[in-house]
Amino acid sequence: MTRLRGRAPRGERAYDSAPAGHWCATTMIGSIRLDGTSTCMTIDGATDTDVFQTYVQHFLVPTLKPGDLVILDNLPAHKNIGTLNLIVQAGALVRFLPAYSPI
């Protein structure tokens, strides 16, 4: 984003530029318990089903206890049957947030 205001010599226009096309993103996937403990994983790029399944398998499942409740939003990567089975096999329950409605 370019600045909305700038300084230039009197009578001259102030110019600015914004680099484009660098689409570097870092994604953090995490969970948190009521007692404040959490487990996190960061990746370079966006989350897809394979990335989320790796997080669940290697980070989340080892911390789950029977009877835990895992609440997920409606990201398509969260709805993979294989990933959900990993959570259920650990003895946890899976619930999805309701679909977003602005009303």
Side-chain angles (χ1 to χ4, degrees), residues 14-78:
Y15 289 96
D16 197 6
S17 65
H22 294 286
W23 299 103
C24 297
T26 300
T27 302
M28 183 179 91
I29 306 171
S31 61
I32 189 165
R33 293 179 169 276
L34 291 176
D35 67 3
T37 60
S38 66
T39 178
C40 297
M41 178 180 92
T42 59
I43 60 161
D44 290 329
T47 301
D48 61 9
T49 301
D50 293 333
V51 169
F52 186 68
Q53 189 167 20
T54 299
Y55 166 75
V56 168
Q57 186 174 13
H58 296 288
F59 294 89
L60 182 63
V61 168
T63 66
L64 290 177
K65 300 173 187 148
D68 280 352
L69 178 62
V70 177
I71 301 173
L72 303 169
D73 63 11
N74 290 299
L75 184 71
H78 294 168

